Each structure stands twice: as C-alpha cells, then as structure tokens.
Amino acid sequence: MTIDIDKLKEIILDDYLKLYPNNISKFNNLLEMIKENYSLRKENQMISNSSEWIHSANTVGMMLYVDLFNNDIDGLVRKTEYFKNLGITLIHLMPLIQPREGDNDGGYAVSDYRKVNSKLGDIDSLEKAIKNFHENGIRVCIDYVINHTADDHEWAIKAKLGNKNYQDYYFMYDDYTIPRQYESTMNQVFPKVAPGNFTYVKELDKWVMTTFYNYQWDLNYRNPKVLEEMISILLYYANLGIDMIRLDAIPYIWKTIGTSCRNLPEVHIILKIFRAILAQYSPSTVLLGESIVAPEIILTYFGSETSLECDLLYNASYMVEIWNSLATRDARHISNMPYINNNLPTEWINYARCHDDIGWGLDEDNLKRLGFDPFMHKQFLIDFYLGNFKDSFSVGELYEYDPVTKDARNCGTLASLAGLEKAVLEKDNYKLELAIKRINLINSLIILRKGIPMIYSGDELGLLNNYEYKNNTAKKHDSRWIHRQNFDWAKLSNIEKCETYERIIFNNLKTLINVRKKIDLDHNITHERAIQVDNKHILVIQQLNENEDNLLLIFNFSEDRQFLNTSQLRRQGINVHMVELLQGKELNLKDDIIQIGPYEFLILKNK
C-alpha cells in the first residue's frame, strides 16, 4: 500500500489555508513530513486496512492504567488470556507516554511524546505488546494529549532558555494585559485546585496559558509548526500499530480572545485534517475524541457526511442518564435522549464510568418538561451518589465541590456507586442481591446498545472504593483516586468460588459480552429508537436492522417488579411473537401485560 500525496493535498489544502492563509510553503513542509513518516511504516504491525472493526459487535473494550493493572507493560502482556477469557478485544491503555516528574495530572502532562513512561517499559516493549495483542485478536488504544505539554517537555525547556521559535509553540506574554482579556471570557477547568488560566513563569518572566494545571502549557495551534509537529506524533503512533488514538481535551485546542476558548470552529478544522490524513495514511487507525461538553455540542465532533472528524466519541450524556435513572427510578429522561441515526461511519463509546469523575450535565430543558428543577435535581444527584440520603444505595465522594455555587461532581467505583459497598458493610443479603442486579443492569445498558462498550478495569469483579489514596500526600487532594486503584488479583480467585459476588458479577458480564457477539448487535443495525410507554420505570429500545430482524430491549430501573402494557408495543408495529435471548422464554405480545422483575432487562427477538 502507498499513500497518494496528490489526493491528500487535494483533500486537506482548503482546510489548511483556512487556518493558515497564504502559507503554502508550510503546507508543503507538512506533506514532506507525512511522506517521510510513511516511509518508516511497518505493515506487519497493522491488522487491516479498514476501520470497519469499530462497527463490529465483536469489539468490546476495557480501559486501564498499566501500572495499576499489573505493574508494567510486560505484566500487562502476561494477562492476555484474562482479556480473552472475558471477551475483551480492545484495551485502552491509560496515559503511558512519558510524563513529567512529580505532579503530572495522572499522566496527562507529557514530557516526551515519543517515549513510554520509563516505569512501565520502553517503546520496544510497547511494540512487542501491540504485536502480541494483535496476534490474540486484541486491538490497542492509547491517549494522545493534544492541548498541552508538560512544562519540562523539550519545547518548553527550549522556550525557557529564550528560544523564540519554541516560545511561539505556546501562549506567552510579558505582562498580564492579554491574559486578562482572555480570562474575561474563559471558564476555569479546576477552579478549586488550579484556579485561573494563566501562570507566571519566573524563568521566562512571562505569563503562560495553562488551562488545566500550572505545569501544563497550552499549545498554540495558530502556529502552523505546532500543527505539523502534532500530526507527526499522530503518525508516529500509527506507525507503532496503535489501532485507536484517544485525543484528549479536544474542545480546548484553539484559543481566541473574546470567546470561551472552547469548541471553536478551528477545532473542527484541525480534527478534519487529522481524520483526512489518517484515512489515507493508516485507514484502520481511528480517532476517539474526548469531548465532555453539553450533549448538543458533543455531536458536532462527529462532523458531517462531507466533513468527517472523530471516528468515535464518548457517550457522556448516556453515562449520566444511566446514573440519573437509577437514582430516580425514572426512565423518562433517558428515553427522551436524542438517538443518533445518521449515515456517518462513526460510533459511540458507551461506558458507565471512566478514570474521571461523573459531572451532572443533563439536558435542562428536558428536566423542566418532566417537572424537575434543574438546580435542585443536580443537588439531589450530588447528595444521592455521595450517600447522604437515607434511602440512597450509593457510597461515593465529591470532586471539585464549590461552596458558593454548590456545584460538585461525584467519584466512586461502579460497584460502590451501585450499592455493593453499602450492602457488604451492612452485611445485608437483600441489599447485596439488589446491588448485583443493579450492576448487571448497568452493564446491560452499555453492552447491548449500539456502539463500543468500554468497561473500566476492576468493574468486572465488583471492586469497591479504595480509600488508601487519603494517606498519599501526592493523591489525597484528588478524590478521583478512590476509583483509580490497583487491580486486586487476589479477588480473581473468588470467581472460582460458588456464591461470591465477584463470581456472579464476572459471569453475568461475560454472558452479556457473549450474547452481544452472538446476535451481532452493531453490524446490521441501521438505527435505534426509544418507544415511549406509560410506566416511567421502564425503558424500551427498539433496534432496527437491514433485515428487519429487529431487537427489542426492555430495562426496569426499579427495585420493584413492574408491568408493561403490551398494547403500547403492538401499536408501534412490534412483532407479537418474540423470544427472550438470555432465558429462552417465549413472549406473546397479544397477552395484555409483560411482567419485568426488579432491575431485570429483556432482550427480545422476533421468533
């Protein structure tokens, strides 16, 4: 396979010139860099020349920190059979590129994009790991931090030494005049632990833009050399054989005075260029965009039919809706989510939690239509998942609490937020049973829906909150470490013992993954739609495919049994003769009522 530079030039030139008018010479430099990188490609690292794998039901992901999972890259490789046994075919390796020493935002302050964190291994060990996983049918995703570098990155060091070329890689100002103009319209990412968007750097005697932490210097994409450098690194990762590249913090990468400096039009142009280059350079390598913003804005990062951007996005709104529906026992809000039924070659990443906190970004207009006060409802969710309410099943912690606005986010493992920790502490078998059912329901909501499910490492065993981080001076200020914990391999033996909750949770999840693959959920689905029913505790989703061999998913968000009037389904043209795939039982929708047990879900297929 070769790369058609003339075709690539035709595809990206207009967009490039929108960013950098009259910069043909810099554009030609970009093309030369692409050709040079392409000459270094190792075709034996690639599984295929197509990105169709993201639409396959066989693709099931797990995200993990390499060191927390099993010490280092070699330790990760030794657990290959563990992934295969569970049915995992994609692993997202949380930040493993060389971070700065000391504080590094959990690895998101990168000091060298072309090196692996020395505590985990090196580039050779990473390449060998990728080869091993590919041979075992497992694809690999890594993080690419594109908004900022660490303050000890080579570019930052040269900038500190007075090199004007590298100072132009960042936003640097001799006084606070221009920073003040930016600050007047910019929000703060971490108002409590890292207030403001600029840091005074004594070595430079300048103010540097630091949207996240003061040791993370924002890159200046107004400089065409920065774009060229970042594309070169993108292609370097493709050459290693990486299958999915997670672009971190994409809404922030373009800055303009007088704006929020988020989600600006130029961000979308840069993503178009990234996507277009990869499509020609390494067609099987895909871009996962991290864009945790308002629901209506997230969608824009897919692009359009004529202007594709990210191959995949985190379905953050769906994640929040799941937790909201569990707390309220009310499925109306999640059933009113907009379902994306377009013809774009894109997919969602469906997940119940990740390495970050849960922020309560619900659709406020929808809340009001359902009779909720948005502010008070957010306060309810914050308190519920902290465990403050008497009837709350959750045990969690707050993140970034603001005593003025009363805003906060929540942290905790899936199992603890879903009630398992409280049940274990109280030695309450009934609560334990409900917690396990709740966990299985959550897993069904991410495994059975269209998109790629992404499981957080440890959730498959029901790992509980770990409070040891409070004794670590480097971590105790950040409650997210409550769920960023070492994988407890000792617990793995419990899946061999009868009646342990680890065994039940693991086997339930494994069954769901096998069912997903067996019924080929994604490959032929044309779209999904929610069917509105009069029981507010129940969510009904119809999945339509090319062969009209449709699936009907029914989820009960209540700990009580519920009844569904089948006439509401028949009026929607649902086949009256169906079979439930997990249990094998047959249902006749001519019967007036379907009974759904506590936290039960049904997978119905035409008989």
Side-chain angles (χ1 to χ4, degrees), residues 71-198:
N71 299 319
D72 55 21
I73 291 174
D74 290 341
L76 177 76
V77 169
R78 288 196 294 273
K79 298 300 181 182
T80 301
E81 288 303 315
Y82 177 74
F83 297 122
K84 292 174 68 175
N85 179 37
L86 184 56
I88 300 300
T89 57
L90 167 68
I91 51 173
H92 173 194
L93 309 180
M94 303 296 286
L96 51 64
I97 302 305
Q98 185 63 53
R100 78 189 292 273
E101 290 296 321
D103 291 341
N104 56 45
D105 190 20
Y108 288 97
V110 175
S111 65
D112 192 331
Y113 287 107
R114 298 176 188 269
K115 289 183 179 178
V116 168
N117 186 335
S118 57
K119 296 175 182 177
L120 304 178
D122 54 26
I123 287 296
D124 285 343
S125 61
L126 177 60
E127 285 196 272
K128 289 176 183 176
I130 293 168
K131 186 174 185 294
N132 164 77
F133 286 124
H134 283 179
E135 289 172 350
N136 284 278
I138 300 170
R139 296 180 184 269
V140 178
C141 170
I142 69 166
D143 286 271
Y144 182 22
V145 183
I146 62 172
N147 178 69
H148 46 260
T149 73
D151 59 0
D152 65 349
H153 188 281
E154 177 188 8
W155 304 337
I157 292 171
K158 289 179 178 178
K160 289 178 185 177
L161 293 173
N163 188 315
K164 182 65 169 61
N165 287 334
Y166 285 97
Q167 289 181 359
D168 288 343
Y169 276 38
Y170 304 97
F171 295 88
M172 298 186 176
Y173 303 99
D174 294 332
D175 59 45
Y176 200 66
T177 303
I178 294 177
R180 185 177 293 110
Q181 294 177 45
Y182 274 109
E183 291 281 23
S184 67
T185 54
M186 291 178 72
N187 294 320
Q188 300 179 75
V189 176
F190 301 126
K192 183 179 178 182
V193 296
N197 292 285
F198 286 84

Side-chain angles (χ1 to χ4, degrees), residues 318 322 326 350 352 414 436-450 453 455 505 508-509 511-513 515-516 521 528 539 541 543 553-557 580 582 599-603:
Y318 183 55
I322 289 173
L326 286 168
N350 294 324
L414 185 151
I436 292 171
K437 287 179 179 292
R438 210 176 282 120
I439 291 167
N440 200 30
L441 175 68
I442 294 169
N443 285 332
S444 74
L445 286 158
I446 65 171
I447 297 289
L448 299 176
R449 295 297 304 278
K450 180 168 168 51
I455 300 153
I505 291 170
N508 283 346
L509 180 59
T511 297
L512 276 170
I513 291 172
V515 167
R516 171 189 170 86
L521 279 176
E528 295 179 317
L539 173 67
I541 299 292
Q543 295 182 325
L553 309 176
I554 302 177
F555 307 91
N556 177 9
F557 281 90
E580 208 287 317
L582 284 176
Y599 294 121
E600 187 180 16
F601 56 90
L602 304 175
I603 311 170

Side-chain angles (χ1 to χ4, degrees), residues 198-379:
F198 286 84
T199 299
Y200 176 72
V201 179
K202 188 175 180 180
E203 300 101 304
L204 283 161
D205 190 25
K206 293 179 186 293
W207 289 89
V208 178
M209 184 179 284
T210 55
T211 301
F212 288 79
Y213 289 98
N214 60 9
Y215 49 79
Q216 292 168 306
W217 291 8
D218 287 50
L219 288 163
N220 177 15
Y221 280 88
R222 291 179 176 276
N223 180 349
K225 186 62 179 174
V226 169
L227 181 70
E228 181 184 328
E229 294 268 25
M230 300 307 281
I231 290 174
S232 177
I233 296 162
L234 182 76
L235 302 185
Y236 174 72
Y237 293 151
N239 284 358
L240 291 177
I242 300 297
D243 303 283
M244 180 185 291
I245 300 172
R246 175 188 179 273
L247 303 178
D248 183 66
I250 56 177
Y252 300 85
I253 62 175
W254 192 272
K255 316 296 194 301
T256 299
I257 290 176
T259 73
S260 66
C261 294
R262 299 185 189 183
N263 308 302
L264 299 183
E266 291 85 356
V267 174
H268 296 279
I269 295 173
I270 291 170
L271 292 175
K272 278 180 61 180
I273 292 172
F274 276 18
R275 173 78 173 265
I277 291 173
L278 266 188
Q280 297 295 314
Y281 187 96
S282 181
S284 67
T285 307
V286 296
L287 297 176
L288 165 59
E290 191 235 3
S291 173
I292 310 304
V293 292
E296 66 275 11
I297 298 176
I298 292 176
L299 297 174
T300 64
Y301 286 102
F302 279 133
S304 65
E305 289 187 38
T306 58
S307 182
L308 295 172
E309 296 178 28
C310 295
D311 297 88
L312 304 111
L313 293 170
Y314 287 104
N315 202 349
S317 300
Y318 183 55
M319 179 268 293
V320 173
E321 295 284 4
I322 289 173
W323 292 108
N324 175 60
S325 297
L326 286 168
T328 59
R329 285 76 164 176
D330 189 338
R332 292 176 299 165
H333 201 272
I334 195 170
S335 70
N336 285 324
M337 281 188 71
Y339 292 90
I340 310 309
N341 300 313
N342 56 36
N343 295 318
L344 301 182
T346 56
E347 287 291 357
W348 287 113
I349 293 286
N350 294 324
Y351 66 110
R353 74 172 182 106
C354 64
H355 67 293
D356 267 334
D357 51 274
I358 299 175
W360 302 107
L362 292 162
D363 184 327
E364 293 193 358
D365 290 335
N366 196 18
L367 280 174
K368 291 174 183 176
R369 282 194 296 271
L370 294 173
F372 295 95
D373 177 282
F375 175 79
M376 295 305 297
H377 189 63
K378 179 181 281 192
Q379 295 305 302

Side-chain angles (χ1 to χ4, degrees), residues 419-434:
L420 188 62
E421 181 171 339
K422 190 171 185 178
V424 170
L425 287 172
E426 295 179 1
K427 299 180 180 179
D428 189 317
N429 286 337
Y430 179 64
K431 288 182 179 178
L432 182 68
E433 179 185 344
L434 289 179

